[in-house]
Amino acid sequence: MIRRSLLAVALPALLAAAPARAQAPGATLTVAAAANLKPAAEELRQAFEAERPGVRVALTFGASGAFFAQLRNGAPFDVFLSADRDYPAKVIAAGLADAADEKVYALGRLVVWLPPGSTVPLEQRGLAALADPGVRRIAIANPALAPFGRAAEQALRAAGVWDAVRPRLVLGTSVGQAAQFASTGAADVAFLPSSLALGKELAAGRAVPVPEALVPGIAQSGVVLRTARDPALARAFLAFLTGPKGRAVLAKYGYGLP
């Protein structure tokens, strides 16, 4: 009788507690994202969260090389979205992620952005036009930290104008800062990912693609980190980026698709 009485009391209490557990706050996914993703990231975040009610995606933007340094020092991110494949490879080599958890999600495209009214004849003369004395400041992301900055250096070297333009370079800590230099008039020309050049702040200018003979499309990959609090959720996020909905958003913002 005593056992039955205890069960009769305990069972309703357990059932009453179940809804409270279901309403507990959802998981937060922390993502370290390359700065070139910023225009697309908000739409990607909203679309992923819509599929998973209760999940929140927290995005932090910066240069891929800076994130690698932070990850080596124990930064607690769940996912790293790089602007290339080199830094994820370094993350894996450092034992911070597994090779099976890396995926190429986009192909970044490098463009040269010119402000409204610019008379630099880039379309006619190519990158050689940047050696003209009238081009005083050229913004690029720091090649030591940012893959798109490294790609800009590669393109300028391949075009044979690196030595001529090097004294005029204005280095941003990331492509985001290089874009800021462009939008505020602090640079006459900027090497940027097409995703940033398509943004509303720069839409009035003109973006000239850098020929693929100088710089091929840049494979951008993401990786689930071993510090991920919910590895299954982190893998689901990468799968979303490479799935139909994620690919549609990335294509909208000027990315090539792997």
Side-chain angles (χ1 to χ4, degrees):
M1 289 293 294
I2 294 175
R3 289 181 181 175
R4 288 182 181 178
S5 299
L6 289 173
L7 183 61
V9 172
L11 185 57
L14 289 170
L15 291 174
R21 288 198 301 270
Q23 295 169 9
T28 296
L29 188 70
T30 57
V31 180
N36 72 85
L37 282 168
K38 194 168 186 178
E42 182 62 19
E43 192 167 337
L44 290 167
R45 179 189 68 77
Q46 290 178 354
F48 183 72
E49 290 178 351
E51 289 190 353
R52 294 174 176 266
V55 170
R56 186 174 76 89
V57 179
L59 296 158
T60 303
F61 298 99
S64 300
F67 278 132
F68 174 58
Q70 292 174 29
L71 292 171
R72 283 193 303 178
N73 288 322
F77 290 106
D78 299 314
V79 177
F80 173 38
L81 299 179
S82 177
D84 66 359
R85 295 195 73 183
D86 291 345
Y87 283 114
K90 290 178 179 180
V91 166
I92 292 166
L96 302 173
D98 295 322
D101 283 326
E102 185 223 3
K103 284 190 175 184
V104 175
Y105 62 87
L107 298 175
R109 293 165 172 159
L110 184 67
V111 302
V112 181
W113 183 88
L114 301 163
S118 173
T119 58
V120 177
L122 202 62
E123 292 88 345
Q124 293 76 31
R125 295 176 50 206
L127 298 188
L130 300 182
D132 292 351
V135 181
R136 297 169 298 163
R137 297 179 301 273
I138 302 170
I140 71 171
N142 187 341
L145 297 174
F148 277 90
R150 193 162 61 245
E153 178 180 343
Q154 177 185 335
L156 290 165
R157 287 185 182 278
V161 295
W162 173 253
D163 291 335
V165 304
R166 189 173 183 179
R168 310 178 209 171
L169 295 180
V170 181
L171 299 184
T173 55
S174 68
V175 289
Q177 190 175 47
Q180 186 178 13
F181 291 154
S183 65
T184 59
D188 305 307
V189 173
F191 280 81
L192 299 173
S194 60
S195 56
L196 294 186
L198 291 171
K200 59 182 180 180
E201 296 86 358
L202 300 175
R206 71 185 202 268
V208 181
V210 174
E212 291 213 352
L214 300 179
V215 178
I218 303 169
Q220 301 189 203
S221 76
V223 65
V224 175
L225 299 163
R226 285 184 175 168
T227 53
R229 290 160 295 181
D230 187 339
L233 180 62
R235 292 185 184 107
F237 181 71
L238 275 188
F240 173 82
L241 290 188
T242 56
K245 291 183 180 179
R247 286 167 64 87
V249 173
L250 289 165
K252 174 181 173 181
Y253 287 90
Y255 290 97
L257 300 176

